[in-house]
Structures are given as C-alpha cells and as structure tokens.
Amino acid sequence: MSRVDRKRWIAGLRGWFRSHASQGVVLIVGLVIGASWAGARSCGAPEVEEAEHAHASSGAAATIWTCSMHPQIRQPEPGQCPICGMDLIPVTSEGDDRAPDRVVLSERAQALMRLRTEEVRRQADAASDLRLLGRFEANETTLKTVTAWTGGRIDRLRVNVTGERVRAGQVIATLYSPEVFAAHQDLLVAKRQVDRMQSSPEASRMAARAALEAARERLRLLGVPDDEVSRMERQERPTRAVAIRSPFGGTVIERMATEGSYVSTGTPLYRIANLSSLWLQLDAYENDLPRLAVGQGVRVTVEAIPGEVFEGEVTFIEPTLDPRRRTARVRVQVDNQERRLRPGMFAEATVATGETKGEQSPLVVPRTAPLFTGRRSIVYVEIRSEDRVGYEPRTVRLGPRLGDVYPVVAGLAEGERIVARGAFALDADLQIRGGHSMMAPEDDRSEHAWDEVIDIAPAVRRSFAPLVVAYLDVQSALADDDLDAAKTAAAKLSDNASSIRIERPRDAHAAWSEIADPLRGHGRHVAMAASLEGAREGFEPLSEAIIDLLTRFGNPLDEPLRLAFCPMASGSDGARWVQKGEAIDNAYFGAAMLTCGEVRQEVPQGGYLAVPRGRSAEPRRAAPAGGHAH
C-alpha cells in the first residue's frame, strides 16, 4: 500500500470511530463487566460471600471500640485513641453475654495458656505448724546475785565452781573485814562494861546499856544479821573470819570472786539461778511473726535427749527486729523440774499455728493463685456450664502466708476450683475485654465485700453461739406470736451480750465493743415490751446488730443460717432478719403474713455475711463464706 493509500485508510477509520464512539464504549464496558461477573461466579464466589458475611458479623459484634494499649478507652464508634492516637479496635466477646466478667476459653486456648487449676482444700495440721530454732537460757526472773555485805579480803571460797547447787543460808565464802573486827571488839567491850555495872547507879547502868545497843546497831548497819550479832556477842574474842551466806538457793551460773581479792560492800560474788524452769530464745523472721502470739503451745526437741518432747508456752515476743538479721526474739518458757535441760543447749521448737484439736483446719489456696492489688486479693474461680468452662474473678480475704499457701478467711468454699497458675493471663484478657479485672479503678479507697471481716480463732467465734441462739429464739417466738417467750429469750440475749469479753486481737475488741451496746440495749427493749408490736419494733435494730455480728465475726453455730428480707416490714421500707430454716418465718408479721419475704443469702458454719451494714442497704449477691469452717 502506497503512502497516499495508507493515509486515506486511516482517515476513513477515524471517521468511523467518530460516528460509532458511544456504541463502542458501551460494548467494551459490557464485555469487561461480564467477564468479571463470570470469573467471580466460577472462581471466587465462596470467598467473597464469606468475606461479606465476616464483615457483617464483625460489624454486628464490634459495638464497642477500645485501644489495645489503653483498654480503659471505650467508644461506640471507630476512631483513634485520645491518649496515644492509635486506631481503635473492636471488642468482641467470646464468653457469655450474661456474664461480662467471665472469661470463656476453648480447649486450645486453655492449652496455650497452660492454665492449672486446683481445688480449694483444707490445710493439714502438721503443715501449718511453724518450726524455729533457738537456744536455752536461764529464766531471768529467777536470777539472783550474792554480794558482799561488808568490805574486806576474801580468805576462803566455799563454792569454787559454776554449776554447783547451793541452798538458802549456806556459807559460800569467808572474808576478813577490819570494820567488822573493830565493831565486834567494841561490842565485846560494851558487853563487859554492862556486866561490871550491875551494882552501879541506875544512870551508869543506862549509859552502859546504851553503849552496848550502839555497838549492836553498828554491826547491823554493816550487814550482820541479828542472829549473827547475838552469836558474836557471846564470843570471848573478836572474830577475824566473817561468813558470807547465800540468802536463796539455786545453781551457780557465774563466779565473780577469787580468794585473796579485796571487795567492798555490795561487790557481786556469785550469780545464782533457779533452773527448774528455762527460757528458750527463738529467732523468728518477720514474715513468721503474724503466725505467733503469746500463749501459744510449743513442742520442743533437743538432740541431747532424742525421742523426747518437752512442752512450753510462748510468753513474750520482742517488739523490735534485729536490723541486721531481720529476726525477732520469741521467748518460750519450758518446765525443767528434773534438771534435764541445761542453759546453752540448742533446740528445735514447733509452734502449733493451726487449729486446736477437734477443730477444722483452715481452707488454703496456693501462693501462686491470688493476685494482689492494694487491699484486694483476687482469685479466678472455675465456672462450668454445660460444655463450656469459664473463669470469673472473685475478691477474697486471705490470712498471712503459711509457707507455700495462703489461708482463706472469707470468699471461697471448700471444693471450689481456682486457677493456681495462669491467673495473670486471664486477668489481662479480661482487662482488654473491659471486664472487672485487677486493674479496675476501684482499689484501696473503695469498699469491698470482706472489709468488715475480722479473722478470729474458732474458739472465740464459738463464744458468740449462746448469743445467736437466744436471738433465734426471739425470732421464732415473734413468728409464733408468743410475746412471753420472745421477752424471755431477749432477756437471755442481753445477759449473754454482757458476759462476753473479747480482748484480743485489738480490732476484734473494738468491733465487739461497738456491737455489744446495741445488742444489750435492743435486747432489753424487746424484753420490756408490753405488746407484740412493741417487741417487733425493737426486733428490727436487734436484727441489724446480729447481722453486723455475722458480717464481722461469722456464723458461730454448727449449722447454716439464712438472711431473710421482707419488703412489707418497717412501714413498707423493708426489713431484714436472720433465721435457721429455708422456709420464710416472718417475725415482723407472725401468723398474719408468716411467709412474706425471701431468703437473700445463706451463711454456712464459720462463714461471713457478704452484705453492707445498715438496714437501708440492699443485700449483695450471695457469696461463698469464710474458710475456717464449712
């Protein structure tokens, strides 16, 4: 094709495109869309549908947006974190929507987190004992010092070695005293003068007798006993050897005198102790001190006497710590009538810090289980529902650490399963989800379920049993509309409240002092009521005082108690009371409305009420009770 022909062909083609441009564009676009739709249907339809479904699902679930670095940020829409500027991420819940504070994990997630759970159990008695080392010393209350009652030179020591036993009145040394020798000589001269003046005038005889008495007094002032003065007065010549007698008996633990040395009046010669009882001085580290108390029984063993156990009692705990060794001295008094134990012996002491015989041991959890933040102690409890396993945080009250475990005061029940290892990972997951984790804002300044709990020994708790029984008698009598029985039981309750004495620990003493007065006062109110209405008027504050008692000191009975609530009582403001059975036994209305109300919480043996004090406070969700007796 020539150049001219080529130009003509190109010009014609351009003209055709100008006239058919719109139809060509539509055709090309249609071909492209058709190819794309066919490819999507043949190759990528499932992925596209799944992606769209996932997007729709995430949009439905991600109703709350948070920051991965600052989970406290909670916003209903996506955006940027106002603190760090990072893009917010959606918060999705894999757990139960009805339990936002519960972490639900799949089996694979549990395996990856390496969670380990254990059952809340009771501590073996022997494992709760505290073992300490120490050394025997003489009982300081029996230490005595024999001193020279006059000055002079020691001529002879009758007791030469330590460890020798002496009796009261025994001569232990003799010394030469110029002062005693001169005073004795004056005594003999005055005695002879009195004898010569028998026939002299009365005035001369009185002067001689006065001189004799003055000589006697001089010897007494030098320390010579009266019986020794009488003996010296009968002698012919003044004595050169003055006897030093021990005024008490015991064992010589130190000799400070030597023959030939000169001593003055009051110079110590011997140190004597009664070894019928000894002190065992133990060294206790500061983390062991909360487990020790004056009056605790101690079992003592020594290597010198294998196979034999001696009994003692803690009598003193040093109020200060050795800044270098970080220990405090704990004194144990041990009986030693047979003199088999000796000062200086090393011994091993076992202090029974657990419950007494016949009592249940405390519930314990592994030391790796709790998370601590300020006053709060949090453990994660395993919750099983159908085929799912969840974990919920629970605030508990723990006692001082006992080796590898913590005793449970309140918040857990025997048999519950807790997370012994991996709780921090669960808490981190809950924190990101926005649940009530250990990093929740409330802490030291916030009120918690077990703030009112006072950890006391079971024997002290049992002392409240007659008081609670008398209250239950009042409650039952008012429910039966029996005024006389209610008044009799209320008088008994008031007397029991007056007879209880709680001295230790200090917080228990303060709490009981606060509760005792309302119990006595409202008990007398019910006892002096003239009608059932008057008795029920006093029963309401009496019930609040009993609820306060159960909140702080726990249930002292060997059976569970129930906290009940009636919304119609107290002028329709509602009122609470405590009863035994599960069936409502309304003491505010008696037979008129005997079953009005509901049981709000059960308090097992030794457990605590998990409710705030005060009649107007709404009872909280029933929580597992304390760990000393279930």
Side-chain angles (χ1 to χ4, degrees):
M1 181 180 295
S2 66
R3 180 179 297 177
V4 175
D5 295 334
R6 187 183 302 114
K7 289 181 177 179
R8 289 176 180 174
W9 183 83
I10 293 174
L13 184 62
R14 288 176 178 173
W16 184 86
F17 266 108
R18 289 190 191 101
S19 60
H20 297 83
S22 58
Q23 292 90 341
V25 171
V26 172
L27 177 62
I28 293 172
V29 172
L31 292 174
V32 171
I33 293 176
S36 301
W37 179 83
R41 292 291 295 176
S42 62
C43 301
E47 288 78 6
V48 172
E49 290 180 354
E50 290 178 4
E52 292 177 351
H53 177 73
H55 177 74
S57 300
S58 64
T63 57
I64 299 177
W65 296 76
T66 186
C67 175
S68 58
M69 297 298 295
H70 302 92
Q72 68 269 27
I73 301 300
R74 319 287 291 179
Q75 294 185 2
E77 297 178 354
Q80 292 181 335
C81 175
I83 299 177
C84 64
M86 294 180 62
D87 291 336
L88 299 181
I89 60 175
V91 178
T92 59
S93 176
E94 298 178 7
D96 189 352
D97 293 338
R98 295 169 297 177
D101 288 340
R102 181 180 300 176
V103 179
V104 179
L105 300 177
S106 63
E107 293 183 1
R108 182 172 181 273
Q110 294 183 47
L112 290 175
M113 294 181 69
R114 297 182 179 179
L115 291 183
R116 181 168 62 86
T117 61
E118 288 188 14
E119 191 174 281
V120 180
R121 56 183 174 81
R122 295 197 177 275
Q123 177 69 29
D125 292 337
S128 63
D129 292 345
L130 179 63
R131 289 174 173 80
L132 302 172
L133 297 177
R135 187 174 67 175
F136 281 107
E137 294 180 0
N139 187 336
E140 290 183 5
T141 61
T142 66
L143 288 178
K144 308 292 182 181
T145 301
V146 180
T147 62
W149 49 265
T150 186
R153 183 187 69 247
I154 298 177
D155 286 340
R156 182 183 178 187
L157 291 177
R158 301 291 182 89
V159 178
N160 293 316
V161 295
T162 58
E164 187 173 345
R165 296 183 63 183
V166 298
R167 64 182 184 277
Q170 177 181 341
V171 176
I172 57 177
T174 58
L175 57 80
Y176 165 71
S177 172
E179 290 183 279
V180 174
F181 181 82
H184 191 192
Q185 189 173 25
D186 293 342
L187 177 66
L188 295 179
V189 171
K191 181 66 171 61
R192 296 190 189 101
Q193 186 68 15
V194 169
D195 293 339
R196 286 197 298 267
M197 291 291 182
Q198 294 297 329
S199 58
S200 300
E202 181 63 23
S204 299
R205 293 198 303 271
M206 290 180 61
R209 288 195 295 269
L212 177 60
E213 187 60 33
R216 292 171 179 165
E217 187 63 23
R218 182 183 175 188
L219 285 170
R220 295 191 189 101
L221 293 177
L222 288 174
V224 180
D226 288 342
D227 55 348
E228 186 70 16
V229 170
S230 300
R231 187 185 64 79
M232 295 172 68
E233 191 175 334
R234 294 191 296 270
Q235 293 179 350
E236 296 295 330
R237 296 181 179 181
T239 183
R240 291 180 55 87
V242 177
I244 303 296
R245 300 177 183 271
S246 174
F248 29 72
T251 302
V252 176
I253 62 172
E254 184 180 2
R255 179 176 65 85
M256 295 167 282
T258 57
E259 290 185 357
S261 62
Y262 282 84
V263 296
S264 59
T265 303
T267 299
L269 303 179
Y270 298 92
R271 193 177 298 275
I272 297 175
N274 186 347
L275 301 184
S276 60
S277 69
L278 296 179
W279 282 355
L280 177 59
Q281 298 286 11
L282 303 174
D283 291 323
Y285 288 100
E286 52 186 315
N287 60 332
D288 292 329
L289 293 177
R291 303 170 59 186
L292 297 169
V294 174
Q296 284 179 316
V298 180
R299 301 187 300 275
V300 181
T301 58
V302 293
E303 291 185 0
I305 312 175
E308 188 161 350
V309 178
F310 299 87
E311 300 292 334
E313 180 181 334
V314 176
T315 58
F316 179 75
I317 300 176
E318 199 169 37
T320 59
L321 280 178
D322 186 328
R324 182 175 58 87
R325 302 170 60 192
R326 308 305 302 166
T327 60
R329 302 293 293 273
V330 178
R331 182 190 306 157
V332 177
Q333 186 163 329
V334 181
D335 185 72
N336 188 37
Q337 295 291 341
E338 298 180 359
R339 306 297 198 281
R340 302 176 66 189
L341 301 174
R342 303 181 182 185
M345 280 184 171
F346 286 100
E348 179 180 355
T350 302
V351 184
T353 61
E355 305 296 339
T356 57
K357 292 182 178 180
E359 298 290 345
Q360 287 183 311
S361 300
L363 294 178
V364 294
V365 296
R367 63 180 179 85
T368 56
L371 303 175
F372 297 100
T373 166
R375 294 189 305 170
R376 286 191 299 163
S377 303
I378 298 174
V379 298
Y380 273 81
V381 182
E382 183 180 270
I383 307 296
R384 291 187 175 271
S385 58
E386 299 178 356
D387 59 339
R388 309 181 72 182
V389 180
Y391 303 93
E392 287 186 357
R394 183 182 298 171
T395 300
V396 297
R397 178 77 173 269
L398 303 178
R401 179 175 164 181
L402 305 176
D404 291 333
V405 297
Y406 283 97
V408 179
V409 177
L412 289 172
E414 186 175 6
E416 288 188 294
R417 295 198 68 85
I418 61 168
V419 177
R421 193 173 300 277
F424 191 82
L426 288 174
D427 196 84
D429 184 275
L430 185 61
Q431 180 186 358
I432 294 176
R433 297 172 186 271
H436 193 80
S437 71
M438 67 178 290
M439 301 303 293
E442 62 179 78
D443 196 9
D444 283 11
R445 293 174 294 179
S446 304
E447 294 184 358
H448 301 292
W450 310 113
D451 288 348
E452 298 293 335
V453 167
I454 299 176
D455 188 14
I456 56 176
V460 179
R461 183 182 293 112
R462 282 198 305 273
S463 65
F464 295 114
L467 181 68
V468 175
V469 169
Y471 166 82
L472 294 173
D473 290 341
V474 175
Q475 180 268 327
S476 178
L478 291 178
D480 293 339
D481 296 329
D482 190 341
L483 177 61
D484 292 337
K487 294 172 64 174
T488 301
K492 186 177 180 181
L493 181 149
S494 182
D495 293 340
N496 287 330
S498 300
S499 63
I500 296 176
R501 296 288 184 271
I502 305 295
E503 300 297 336
R504 294 180 181 178
R506 183 179 302 177
D507 55 349
H509 171 75
W512 171 241
S513 300
E514 183 180 339
I515 298 173
D517 288 340
L519 285 173
R520 288 191 292 263
H522 299 307
R524 286 192 294 267
H525 182 173
V526 176
M528 298 174 63
S531 63
L532 281 171
E533 290 73 13
R536 285 166 176 152
E537 182 180 346
F539 178 71
E540 182 182 356
L542 181 64
S543 296
E544 290 301 321
I546 288 293
I547 291 172
D548 198 0
L549 176 71
L550 298 179
T551 302
R552 299 196 189 190
F553 297 108
N555 178 9
L557 304 184
D558 294 332
E559 57 183 318
L561 297 174
R562 277 87 182 177
L563 175 66
F565 177 78
C566 175
M568 301 297 294
S570 187
S572 297
D573 289 336
R576 303 183 294 180
W577 74 94
V578 177
Q579 64 178 41
K580 280 187 180 181
E582 297 181 1
I584 290 296
D585 200 22
N586 196 320
Y588 294 107
F589 292 104
M593 298 175 62
L594 185 62
T595 59
C596 177
E598 62 178 339
V599 173
R600 290 291 180 87
Q601 187 179 162
E602 181 177 310
V603 189
Q605 174 191 357
Y608 296 86
L609 268 175
V611 294
R613 292 184 295 158
R615 178 181 61 82
S616 61
E618 183 70 12
R620 302 179 193 153
R621 177 178 60 87
H628 282 298
H630 290 272

